Amino acid sequence: MADRPGRRVLLLLGALLVPVLFPRAAAAEVSCERITFEDAPYTVCRADVGSDDIRVFYSDASGGIYGGFSSVDTMLAEEGRTLALAMNAGMYHGDRSAVGLLIEDGAEKAPIVTSEGPGNFGLLPNGVFCLTEEGAGVVESRAFAEDPPACRFATQSGPMLVIDGALHPRFIEGGDSRHIRNGVGVSEDGTTVWFAISDARVNFHDFGRLFRDRLGVPNALYLDGKVSRLHAPSIGRSDPGWRLGPMIGVAVPR
């Protein structure tokens, strides 16, 4: 029987849970750069699972939703850390609660959704970004629900951009739906996480090809296209805007 979309990633992520242990080295400044891919500008950032403190940020100990980069930075200051990289991490309702699965520091804040539905989130296959103690992965949502890995942090969004090396089947080359878009992809071995945001309006097909053909990741997940924002102090950038729901980022020592 042929593998379902994302099944090979789930198997890989499961394998990472047992034999592969990455030493937690001292974190370096997160690498971000502005690039051009097929005449469109993007900002891409790279984080290493073995040395970088990658987290999903949503709510504080009292349940209050952070809502923005500065609130996360204030919280991290109490740990002697600062926010070196962050972006919005999936879709959310009007009250900023997550539309799909959300796990923050091992606690499930919202359940997984596997049904087809309206909007980009319900454009199946969608997926889950999962970070364990040993590796990262982007996994198709139904495959994830069948055999969930032990995610310390996770966020669900949709659609998937790249699925086992193929673009999402509903993407149209030359499509005229163009937005500022952001997403996340993971290297085949689960050790490198790529964050990307377009700096001009692009369609899904072109954004997916950035991850597959330029960044070389076999699986990537769309995060949003209406509220896409990036916080990257290393390049002097912190996008303003409306208050956010889930965020994903990297904390480093102050």
Side-chain angles (χ1 to χ4, degrees):
M1 181 180 293
D3 284 344
R4 290 179 54 183
R7 171 59 64 186
R8 287 192 293 275
V9 179
L10 188 60
L11 293 174
L12 172 63
L13 192 56
L16 285 171
L17 294 177
V18 178
V20 183
L21 297 175
F22 300 105
R24 183 67 65 176
E29 187 173 78
V30 176
S31 171
C32 293
E33 63 176 330
R34 297 179 178 91
I35 67 168
T36 299
F37 176 69
E38 296 189 339
D39 299 323
Y42 298 90
T43 298
V44 298
C45 302
R46 174 176 177 165
D48 181 84
V49 175
S51 59
D52 293 321
D53 183 5
I54 307 169
R55 310 184 200 178
V56 170
F57 299 101
Y58 178 64
S59 60
D60 59 26
S62 65
I65 298 173
Y66 292 121
F69 305 135
S70 60
S71 296
V72 174
D73 214 21
T74 298
M75 178 275 294
L76 288 173
E78 298 176 2
E79 303 178 10
R81 304 179 77 77
T82 189
L83 192 61
L85 168 68
M87 61 171 46
N88 51 295
M91 299 163 195
Y92 50 93
H93 299 291
D95 62 357
R96 289 181 282 131
S97 59
V99 172
L101 178 70
L102 182 68
I103 298 174
E104 184 179 20
D105 202 14
E108 183 177 297
K109 303 295 181 69
I112 194 164
V113 176
T114 58
S115 58
E116 189 171 6
N120 292 325
F121 182 93
L123 187 63
L124 301 186
N126 58 19
V128 176
F129 170 79
C130 168
L131 184 71
T132 72
E133 294 289 350
E134 293 81 26
V138 171
V139 186
E140 188 269 330
S141 294
R142 291 179 176 177
F144 184 100
E146 286 180 2
D147 188 14
C151 306
R152 184 183 174 199
F153 295 98
T155 184
Q156 183 184 10
S157 191
M160 286 189 70
L161 296 167
V162 186
I163 311 152
D164 294 337
L167 297 182
H168 192 289
R170 298 283 295 276
F171 291 174
I172 301 171
E173 186 173 2
D176 58 6
S177 177
R178 295 180 175 272
H179 294 280
I180 301 296
R181 303 184 188 275
N182 71 299
V184 61
V186 179
S187 63
E188 188 168 6
D189 63 4
T191 65
T192 301
V193 180
W194 289 98
F195 304 90
I197 186 169
S198 66
D199 294 325
R201 296 178 182 273
V202 297
N203 61 32
F204 272 127
H205 188 275
D206 293 347
F207 195 47
R209 288 194 63 241
L210 169 78
F211 280 95
R212 186 189 67 177
D213 300 341
R214 177 63 183 267
L215 302 180
V217 300
N219 292 278
L221 181 64
Y222 178 65
L223 293 176
D224 213 331
K226 292 185 177 180
V227 296
S228 297
R229 290 161 58 189
L230 176 68
H231 174 78
S234 65
I235 56 172
R237 177 171 177 175
S238 187
D239 300 338
W242 298 103
R243 290 177 66 78
L244 300 171
M247 292 169 279
I248 188 170
V250 179
V252 298
R254 286 186 172 272

